[in-house]
Each structure stands twice: as C-alpha cells, then as structure tokens.
Amino acid sequence: MPEIFEVTVKSGEDIRQVIADYVMEKGWQSVMIPAAIGSVIGMEFTAPIENELPLKTGVTPCHDAAELLSFTGEIMRRECVDPALLAVYPDKTSPLFIHIHASCATAGGHVMGGGMRAGRAFRAVRVFLVPLNDAV
C-alpha cells in the first residue's frame, strides 16, 4: 500500500501554493490527492460553459467561509501534461500542473464546486497526498 502524506494549510494561507511548495520540497514527479478536510474561504471554482471542445470555462467565486465536502486531484510536472489541457489553465509559470476538483458548503447548506482555481484556508485544511511512480 502506498504511503499517505499530510500537509496542513494554516489559516489565511493559499491552498494551492502550500501544496505546490510541499510537492516541490519532496521532489515528487506525480501525486494523487485522495482527500482533504477543513474550512476554506475565498474559493474560486471553474466549470465548462459550453458543451464542446476545446474546453472553455467560467469562474464562480465563493467568498464566504465554508466547509470542504470533497477535494480530489492530481499534480504532475508540467512537461507530462497534455498541451490541450494546459491551455485551459491560467498558471503558465509553475513547474507543476495542479488539477483539483473540490466542493464546499456555506451557511444554509449552499453547495458550490468544480475545478479549484483559488482558495485559502479559513481555520485550517489538512490535505492528504500519495506520491505515485514517476511513470505518467
């Protein structure tokens, strides 16, 4: 069974940046994110706005504090990613491709989700990571 690692994103920290820094520090080439738990704020989600390819996405903000409901994804070195997929993502400088799908609930049980473009930890977020074989 593969080893599971954990990184904690502290209050106010950028979730994607903390994960990227941790993966780079470890020197991993490919990582699976099976789950995360915690509270978030300032989330931005992307989702397709047309039913055709190439993919075009819109951004939906979630400004309020919320509880994570789901959080899964993959991280890999940029050179291993399909160029058509890279074209959709705004980050063109990071050596990592970070692809996370998440959902969260705000007060009143309002749920939002999609591709996680941005977000910060509200109180804290624990992210679980599984490094994969370098063959992608």
Side-chain angles (χ1 to χ4, degrees):
M1 180 168 185
E3 188 172 359
I4 298 173
F5 292 80
E6 175 187 336
V7 62
T8 299
V9 184
K10 297 174 186 160
S11 180
E13 290 183 324
D14 181 286
I15 297 166
R16 292 173 61 91
Q17 189 62 57
V18 170
I19 294 170
D21 290 348
Y22 188 80
V23 170
M24 292 296 293
E25 176 186 308
K26 293 288 189 182
W28 294 333
Q29 301 295 309
S30 182
V31 177
M32 176 185 69
I33 301 171
I37 189 164
S39 57
V40 295
I41 194 163
M43 298 292 282
E44 290 182 4
F45 298 105
T46 62
I49 57 173
E50 296 179 357
N51 294 329
E52 56 189 57
L53 297 173
L55 185 63
K56 295 177 185 162
T57 60
V59 177
T60 302
C62 178
H63 302 292
D64 298 331
E67 291 294 323
L68 281 176
L69 301 176
S70 64
F71 194 97
T72 62
E74 63 184 344
I75 301 170
M76 63 188 79
R77 296 289 177 163
R78 182 170 294 284
E79 60 269 14
C80 299
V81 180
D82 178 347
L85 190 55
L86 279 177
V88 176
Y89 285 80
D91 179 7
K92 307 295 184 206
T93 59
S94 173
L96 298 174
F97 175 72
I98 301 173
H99 182 206
I100 298 170
H101 291 186
S103 63
C104 64
T106 60
H110 301 281
V111 176
M112 301 177 83
M116 190 189 100
R117 180 173 166 163
R120 298 183 322 274
F122 182 57
R123 190 188 62 77
V125 175
R126 293 172 57 203
V127 182
F128 303 98
L129 306 162
V130 178
L132 303 174
N133 294 336
D134 288 347
V136 178

